[in-house]
Amino acid sequence: VVGGVDRTGTDGLAQKLAERGAYIAIDHIGTEGHHEGNLGDAEYLTDAERVALVAELATTGHADKVLLSSSATGAAFGHPATDVAFAHVLSSFVPALTARGSTTTPSGRSSSPTRRRCSRCAEHPADPTLSNTEVNPMSHVNTVLGAVPAAELGFVAVHEHIGYGMPGSELDTQWWKTPEQRYEETVPKLRTFHENSLSYGAATYVDATGICNGRDVNYYQSLSEKTGVHIVASTGFVGGDTALPFFERAGVDYLTDQFIHEITVGIGNTGGKAGIIKVGVSRGFRMKDLDLRIYRAAARAALATGVPIFTHLAVDVEPAIDIFREEGLPLDRVLFGHADDGVSQGKVRDRWIAEQGGRIGFDTFGYDLELPDPPFWGRPRRERLDHFLGYLRDGLVDQVLASADANCSPLGWPGVKGHTVNYLFDTLIPALREADLDEATIHRIFVELPADFLSVKTFATTS
């Protein structure tokens, strides 16, 4: 059965296929003209043209090769379906066939469907001259088990991964892990993290995985219950090149709606709401068109919901800052991540970003070249520490956040042995104390500043 022959540009194809013995599916009856769907745009014949095509096939002796359908959709998921009734073939098309010989006219072209808009689009500032004023600067944070007062987050690891992998890694049998194996790898690390954080009141672990890279909110909820660690899930994408084709073709409005839904309603049917939006620069250290769409959608969703944004990489940052300013998002709601990693040095303008008001993520602590098998983004331990201390000595403590970007249970790759979130306690904090950093500043970096950053804010828009 060959489908889709009732699109434009297929002249003569149905006859050729029928002559070779194939069945011909006239399978978009009722869909006429331009049609926008999840697989892209297409131009379809009118029903009157379909009637003529079926009549032509019957005249040449191929009526027994024709199959009729409407491709009607009961409930569309992820795309704006054309409104065609299931009964359309019987109620409208078959009578037109039987009346062949009389004048048949199309029932009317349907207008091109409009992509669904979120219910809060009125809150998206379209005018770059609008300004936004923060209200209620300290409130709550979305975790996978529900809202938590920001003041109760305790010690925050602001950029980590329960498990990260590229799309499709879960299909490679070399990397399959049973739930028991994943728990065995992950639970001890989170329990140690919780124990290390007790002196700070609680432990919060921000998962930066995002859509398409192994995010599993049901699993996160179970881990949070088992370990006592608050887990914050993210919506968004690590980078445009990690988005599956479905999202790759999505527009800004669709992506905005997706992010808002996961923040305000929940991720899938888990009930867990995202507490932060992930965006990133694709490989090659240059913003691609999809990256720019994701950044703009993230800015709009951040303004509509009040959650912050963190980035994968802080390179080629000028287009990102332009987008955030055009949308009216204050730059202190954005954490520009991986400003400290080895491959970004010489490419990232981190001091310039700080001057614009952005927060700087020193979030790859522990990926040291001194490791037995360091990653390609590694950096000498002392060099990274001195980079960080430079901000503190220059009075920029309020613009930095620190984390380890560790994977509890890597997906589709072996990970970096010996590197966990607990590097922050085992190595970094002792090194900060050795550099004469006082406890109040350490508390500010890991408790107060991330609590303020992660807090859901509200923005009053004024012209």
Side-chain angles (χ1 to χ4, degrees):
V1 179
V2 180
V5 296
D6 54 349
R7 299 188 183 201
T8 59
T10 58
D11 297 349
L13 178 60
Q15 284 288 351
K16 291 177 182 178
L17 292 169
E19 288 168 2
R20 296 188 180 191
Y23 284 90
I24 310 303
I26 311 297
D27 54 8
H28 284 79
I29 294 171
T31 300
E32 302 187 353
H34 183 79
H35 176 65
E36 177 188 5
N38 64 328
L39 297 179
D41 294 351
E43 293 286 344
Y44 289 95
L45 303 179
T46 66
D47 275 0
E49 291 167 329
R50 291 186 180 95
V51 167
L53 176 58
V54 173
E56 181 184 349
L57 288 167
T59 301
T60 55
H62 299 304
D64 59 344
K65 293 295 184 182
V66 177
L67 302 174
L68 304 178
S69 190
S70 65
S71 195
T73 304
F77 293 93
H79 68 97
T82 302
D83 187 15
V84 179
F86 286 119
H88 179 78
V89 174
L90 278 175
S91 63
S92 299
F93 192 76
V94 171
L97 278 177
T98 59
R100 175 67 180 176
S102 61
T103 302
T104 57
T105 56
S107 57
R109 291 184 181 271
S110 59
S111 61
S112 179
T114 302
R115 208 178 267 286
R116 61 191 174 98
R117 295 290 297 255
C118 67
S119 60
R120 306 182 64 168
C121 276
E123 297 180 28
H124 299 165
D127 186 344
T129 64
L130 299 183
S131 62
N132 295 279
T133 305
E134 287 189 35
V135 183
N136 188 20
M138 201 73 168
S139 55
H140 72 276
V141 174
N142 286 346
T143 78
V144 295
L145 293 181
V148 172
E152 297 178 12
L153 296 180
F155 187 98
V156 179
V158 76
H159 188 126
E160 304 293 329
H161 296 276
I162 298 295
Y164 169 85
M166 291 296 286
S169 61
E170 71 279 8
L171 305 178
D172 183 345
T173 56
Q174 179 183 357
W175 303 108
W176 280 359
K177 294 178 181 178
T178 66
E180 291 76 16
Q181 288 173 314
R182 295 175 68 191
Y183 277 118
E184 185 178 354
E185 288 182 340
T186 304
V187 169
K189 296 170 185 174
L190 290 181
R191 282 183 172 155
T192 300
F193 176 59
H194 183 262
E195 292 166 4
N196 285 332
S197 302
L198 287 177
S199 62
Y200 296 91
T204 298
Y205 190 101
V206 182
D207 181 81
T209 301
I211 303 167
C212 300
N213 291 110
R215 184 185 64 177
D216 186 341
V217 176
N218 282 321
Y219 178 50
Y220 298 173
Q221 290 169 329
S222 174
L223 288 171
S224 185
E225 291 169 344
K226 283 178 179 290
T227 65
V229 174
H230 300 307
I231 296 176
V232 178
S234 58
T235 187
F237 300 90
V238 172
D241 57 353
T242 71
L244 291 169
F246 177 89
F247 293 105
E248 183 181 344
R249 288 185 285 264
V252 172
D253 288 339
Y254 184 92
L255 293 168
T256 303
D257 200 5
Q258 172 77 13
F259 300 160
I260 290 175
H261 182 91
E262 292 198 336
I263 295 162
T264 61
V265 178
I267 298 170
N269 60 0
T270 66
K273 299 176 182 178
I276 193 166
I277 307 169
K278 184 69 178 282
V279 299
V281 180
S282 293
R283 281 156 182 76
F285 297 102
R286 286 293 176 188
M287 286 278 202
K288 296 179 173 59
D289 179 67
L290 178 57
D291 298 326
L292 297 173
R293 278 182 275 140
I294 291 171
Y295 271 70
R296 191 171 296 279
R300 294 179 182 181
L303 284 168
T305 65
V307 307
I309 295 170
F310 53 6
T311 77
H312 169 72
L313 301 178
V315 296
D316 196 22
V317 73
E318 294 82 1
I321 288 180
D322 287 344
I323 286 172
F324 294 143
R325 283 176 170 162
E326 288 167 9
E327 297 296 335
L329 181 69
L331 289 182
D332 66 350
R333 299 303 292 152
V334 184
L335 177 62
F336 293 87
H338 304 340
D340 60 327
D341 74 10
V343 295
S344 292
Q345 301 315 300
K347 303 179 182 71
V348 61
R349 301 173 63 194
D350 52 294
R351 285 295 180 119
W352 180 81
I353 296 170
E355 290 170 1
Q356 309 311 304
R359 298 183 191 243
I360 307 302
F362 284 81
D363 48 23
T364 62
F365 274 110
Y367 285 123
D368 302 330
L369 290 183
E370 291 83 355
L371 289 168
D373 186 18
F376 69 86
W377 60 89
R379 190 179 181 189
R381 181 178 301 160
R382 187 73 230 180
E383 182 182 300
R384 189 196 318 273
L385 181 62
D386 287 345
H387 188 181
F388 184 59
L389 290 172
Y391 272 78
L392 308 186
R393 289 167 180 155
D394 290 346
L396 298 173
V397 62
D398 285 357
Q399 287 188 259
V400 298
L401 291 171
S403 205
D405 192 31
N407 267 273
C408 290
S409 181
L411 307 174
W413 63 299
V416 178
K417 293 181 180 178
H419 181 238
T420 76
V421 64
N422 294 299
Y423 179 97
L424 301 175
F425 294 99
D426 298 337
T427 304
L428 177 58
I429 290 178
L432 295 176
R433 289 170 176 153
E434 188 176 329
D436 295 326
L437 204 66
D438 59 60
E439 294 301 317
T441 302
I442 292 173
H443 189 275
R444 184 152 184 78
I445 292 168
F446 291 104
V447 178
E448 298 167 25
L449 290 173
D452 174 65
F453 175 64
L454 292 170
S455 293
V456 174
K457 312 265 180 155
T458 56
F459 296 93
T461 302
T462 58
S463 56

